[in-house]
Amino acid sequence: MSPRAAFALCTVALLAAGRAHAQSTQYCVDAHRFMTDGRMAAVVERDTIDDWRTGQQVVGCRVTAAGLTKDGVKRAAELFYERLRASGWTRTPDPRDAPNEASLRYRKDGADCLFNVYRDGTLMTEAEGRVSEARVPGPGEERFGIFAMCMRAMPARPR
């Protein structure tokens, strides 16, 4: 293969990889914007999600975020979901999207995101470490985390 052909092939492969990365993280754009607008530190990463609702393994992304509260994690979670709804996110139509309400699935602009608010230090991932370091609690504050898995909005499989 000539150097010119090899260069062209590499260029096409890099562009395709860039497009695949952009497509997989596009579902996290609104969730990331919402969290960082709320003064949280957040990181977006590509992910493959085993979606029990559809029975499919789908390309998506995740947002790992950290915030600070003076009112406790439970109240931070309540306020987070209130703000989320007020900003145009809606619960997905299937009531079984959140078994036992441990995590809540919301939809906006063609993306479904499963949000979970938790006490800091639960995930033990590099992303959690990065966002936690960016939000250091002051006197009377507590750090909390939010983990969201996002993918293309799809109907649940028939049950």
Side-chain angles (χ1 to χ4, degrees), residues 21-101:
H21 177 74
Q23 288 173 341
S24 66
T25 59
Q26 74 183 3
Y27 303 113
C28 286
V29 170
D30 283 332
H32 179 266
R33 183 179 307 121
F34 176 79
M35 289 186 228
T36 56
D37 284 352
R39 298 191 197 100
M40 299 181 80
V43 173
V44 175
E45 300 172 292
R46 291 181 291 173
D47 199 1
T48 301
I49 300 167
D50 188 11
D51 185 25
W52 64 271
R53 293 175 60 254
T54 63
Q56 299 177 38
Q57 199 168 44
V58 297
V59 173
C61 50
R62 59 183 150 190
V63 182
T64 306
L68 300 171
T69 181
K70 290 186 176 192
D71 300 320
V73 176
K74 181 180 180 197
R75 183 65 182 141
E78 291 168 353
L79 292 172
F80 174 80
Y81 289 119
E82 287 172 13
R83 285 183 43 245
L84 195 66
R85 284 188 295 275
S87 72
W89 288 81
T90 58
R91 287 294 299 272
T92 51
D94 187 343
R96 290 181 274 188
D97 280 350
N100 302 320
E101 300 295 315

Side-chain angles (χ1 to χ4, degrees), residues 5 15 20 45 95 109 121 153:
L15 289 172
E45 300 172 292
D109 297 332

